[in-house]
Amino acid sequence: MHSFVRSAALATTFLAVPFLHPAAALAAEAPTAEAAAPAAAADDQERTSVGTGAHDRGGEIVVTARRRQESSQEVPLAISVVGGEHIDATGSFNVGRLQQLTPTLQFYSSNPRNTAVNIRGLGVPFGLTNDGIEQGVGIYIDDVYNSRVASATFDFLDVAQIEVLRGPQGTLYGKNTTAGAINITTNQPTFDFEGKAEVSLGNYNFKQAKAAISGPLSDTLAARVAVSSTSRRGTIYNVVTDENIQSQDNLGLRGQLLWQPTDALAITLAGDYSAQDANCCGSVYVRTGLTQRALNRQFAALSAALGYAPPSTDPFDRLTDLDTNLKAKNKIGGASLRVKWDVGEGTVTSITAWRFWDWGPSNDRDFTGLPIVALSQNPSQQDQYTQELRYNYSSDAIDFVVGAFGFYQRIDTQGTEAQGAAASRWSIAPSNALSNDPSVLNGLVAYNSQYLKNTSAALFGQLSWHITPELTLQPGVRLNYDKKEGYYQRRVFNGQGQELILDGSYTARESAQLAIYTPQEISPTFSDWNFSYDFTASYKVAPDVLLYATYAKSFKSGGINQNGVPVDGQNNPILESATVKPESVHHYEAGIKTQFWDRLATFNFSIFRSDIKDYQANVNNGQYGVLRGYLANAGKVRSQGVEVDFSVRPSERFNAYANGAYTDATYRKFVDAPCPPELSGGTVVTGSQVPGAPGVPGALSPANCDISGQRLPGVSKWSFSFGAEANTPATILGKDGEVYVGYDGSVRSNFSSNPSPSAYTWVDGYSLHNVRAGFRTEAGLNVYGWVRNLFDENYFDQLFVGPGNTGLIAGLPGDPRTWGFTISSNF
C-alpha cells in the first residue's frame, strides 16, 4: 500500500510537468568555471532567474539564511556559500565532496544509512545510526526539511546555491537544529526559455550526466525538469567475488511547475526521485592492536586457528575478501507544494511536503573473508510529512519572521543477523569444547522488528530591530513539542529453526547462543516541551564592516533507543537505557564581516563556543550480535574555535579564496563512556580490583572509562580549503572565449575514528589537491579536463573497530587519483 501511494503521488507530480526536450543531455563530476565563492541564488519566485555574480566588481552574494533575500555580508552569523557553478567546477556533487570546500563541515559515511553530517564537530553521534534521535544539522532543500541524513549521500541536482549555516538555527527554521543547517536552493522554473547540459567521462569508468530545461507553458505557468546520472566502478577489489566494490550508481529526477497568476502570488509544485544501487559498502584490513582479551582469542591466534589471512596487510592495495553479498539500495523522494503570497507589507509562505526513504542493505559485519557473521541487513522504510507556515515582514525600522511547523515521521525496520560456519571457533572460548562444534552457532539467526513514530510541533520567530542604521538587535524564540513512540523486538532461532526463549534454564549450548543474540522486546517512549531563544546584536562600524555577537540557548530533542538496550545478568533489558535526555546547548559567538578594496576582497572572522549538557553519545559494546550500539548521555561536551574566510577577485582574469578553521571539540565530562579496544575484552573488574594496562592480553578490563577531556570523534583541530583560478582571452576553432586554469586544495589534521579515542583508530591528517583546465565561451560552451587527488595521496575516510574485541581494525580508504573530461553547454 505504501509503495502504491508513493508511486501515485510521484507520478501525479511529474505528469503535472510536461516533458521538455533538452537539446543535449547530461552533466559533470568535476570542474567548470568560478573557483572563488559562488554566484548568488536566483529569486525563486521571479519570472526570470536573476542573480549577481559573487565576485563581480561591487557584487553581492544573495542568501536566504534569515528567510528573506539579503547580502550574505549583512547577515550576522557565520555562513559559507557555495554556488552552483563552483559545485560543478570542483566536482563537489554531494555533501561528502562539499566538506572539502567548507572546513567546519564534517561528513562520514560507511553506507548511506550510517552517515553523519556535523558542523564544528556537533550534530549526530559518530558511529552506527540510531533512528530514535534527531540530527543536529538540518538539511533543507527548497525549504523542505529532510530528516534522513542518507539524503546527503545523493548527487546535488540542478542546484543554484548551498548555504552552510553554523550554529543553532531553531528560531528561523521549521525543525530545531543545534549545530547548524545546510540550506540548498535549486534552480527554479523561469518564464524565459533556458537549458543546460553536461557530460563527463573519467577513469574507473566514471560517467556523469546532467541536464535541465526550463521555460514558459503560458503567461502564468512555467516548468522546469532536471535529470542526473552518475556511475563509476568501485575503487576496492574483492578477491572472493571478483568484483570492484564501493562503486557509484546514482539516478536523480526533479520536476517543478510554477503558477504565478499575479505578481503577488506564486505557487510551486515540485516532485523528486533519487535512487542508488551501488556495489557497496565494504572495508579493507588495516591493522590489529592488542586488547585485554585472552591472547588465544585475539585476531592473530583466531586467524591462525582457522587458517585465515587477509588478502593484503597494506590497506592501500585496496584489496578485500568480504564473503557476504554487499548491497546498498537507497531511494529517496517526495513532493512539495509551496505557496508564496505577498500580503500588504509582508509575505505569507506555506510549504507542505511529503518525503519517503527506502533502504535495502546487506553488509559484512565481521570485516573479514571468514563466515563469522553470515548475514547482516536492516532494511528500513520511512514516510515523513511536514507543514510549515510563516510570515515575513520588512520595513526600515523592523524585520521579523514568525512561523509554525508540524512534523510527523514513521520508520519501519526489519533486521536479520545470522552467524556462519566459523562463528563457533571465533566467538566461543577455546577452553570450551563447544568452540570446536560449528553447528553451535552456524545458522543462529536474530530477526529484528522495530518502528518509530515521531511527532513534533513548533512555534518560532525572530525580530530584527534597527535602532539606528548601524545598530540592530535581533531576539528570537522557539516553543517546541516532541513525542517519540518506539517498538523493538528481537527473536532468536538456532540453526535447527527452534526459537530461543528466556526462561532462566539453559543448556551450555543455549548459553553460548544467547551470548551472541539475546531475545528482547521493549516499547520506549519520550515526550517533552522545550523553550529556546537567542539574541544577536550587530553594529556596522563602516558601510562594509559589520560586527556581531550572539548568545543562544538551544536544545536537541530527547530520544529513544531503537536498536535494543543492554541487559542485566538475567538477560532482562535495562529499561533505564531505553531513553536519552534532551541536549541542552549554550552557544556563544562573535564575528566580523568585512569587504574592502572596492569590494573586490572579502574577509570574515568568527569565534565561537558551544557548551552542551547531556550530549547524546553513541555507545558500542563490542558484541557481534544485534546490539552493536545504543545511545547514552555524556555529561558535558564543549566545541570552541575560530573560523576565517577570505576571497579576492582583483580582476575578471583572476580570483582566489582561502578558508580555515580551528575546532577544539572535547568531552568535558564523560566518566562512564565505552572503553577503547585496548582497554576491553578482559574479565570486567569488580569491587576493589584494579584494571590492567592497555593492550595486555588477559588483563582485567574496566567496566567503563573516563574519557573527559578527550577529543570528539571525527573532528580535526585544523582544517583549511583554498583555491584560485586564472583565465586569459583566446579564440579556438573560431570561437571567442577564454582559456582558464583552476586549482582547489584542502588540508585537515588528524582525527579520532572511534567514539572513545583509541591508539588504534586515529586517522592521520592529509591534504587533497584538485586541478582543472579548459576553454569556455560567452555563449555557454565549456570544455575542460580535471584531476582530483592530483598527488594520489593515501588516506582514510574512516576506520572501524572489529566486533568481539579481537583487535581487528578495518578501514575505508579515500578515493585515489581520478581524472576525466567534461563538456557542458548553457542555452
Side-chain angles (χ1 to χ4, degrees), residues 2 26 42 84 108 119 150 168 465 609 612 760 806:
H2 281 301
L26 324 149
Y108 304 99
I119 292 176
W465 178 24
R609 172 170 170 167
I612 303 177
Y760 307 142
T806 67

Side-chain angles (χ1 to χ4, degrees), residues 38-60:
D43 180 349
D44 61 1
Q45 301 300 343
E46 291 295 329
R47 294 195 174 188
T48 57
S49 296
V50 179
T52 304
H55 292 279
D56 290 342
R57 187 177 298 269
E60 295 179 324

Side-chain angles (χ1 to χ4, degrees), residues 738-762:
E738 57 189 26
V739 172
Y740 62 92
V741 176
Y743 162 80
D744 297 276
S746 63
V747 177
R748 64 179 304 182
S749 61
N750 70 346
F751 62 90
S752 169
S753 192
N754 195 54
S756 294
S758 166
Y760 307 142
T761 57
W762 283 98

Side-chain angles (χ1 to χ4, degrees), residues 19 72 84-85 93 123 147 219 232 267 291 293 320 387 448 481 498 514 546 564 581 643 664 672 754 810 818:
F19 186 77
S72 64
E85 289 187 3
F93 56 82
S147 64
D219 290 342
R232 189 188 74 178
I267 300 174
T291 72
R293 206 177 193 195
T320 192
Q387 173 63 56
N448 306 326
Y481 173 74
Q498 299 166 327
L514 290 171
L546 178 71
K581 301 174 185 176
E643 299 160 345
D664 177 29
D672 55 353
N754 195 54
T818 57

Side-chain angles (χ1 to χ4, degrees), residues 22 24-27 157-158 196-198 209-213 225-228:
L26 324 149
L157 180 58
D158 198 23
K196 59 181 181 180
E198 281 188 329
K210 293 183 180 181
I213 192 167
V225 177
V227 60
S228 170

Side-chain angles (χ1 to χ4, degrees), residues 286-287 665 676 678 710-717 749-754 756-765 796 798-801 809:
V286 176
R287 66 175 71 96
E678 57 265 41
Q710 299 195 47
R711 202 189 310 176
L712 290 179
V715 186
S716 297
K717 280 196 172 183
S749 61
N750 70 346
F751 62 90
S752 169
S753 192
N754 195 54
S756 294
S758 166
Y760 307 142
T761 57
W762 283 98
V763 174
D764 292 336
F796 289 107
Q798 206 171 339
L799 295 177
F800 314 107
V801 176
I809 305 298

Side-chain angles (χ1 to χ4, degrees), residues 26 43 202 208 320 404 432 528 555 582 613 620 661 718:
L26 324 149
D43 180 349
Q208 188 177 67
T320 192
N432 187 333
D528 195 18
F555 73 96
K613 181 182 177 182
N620 297 307
W718 296 96

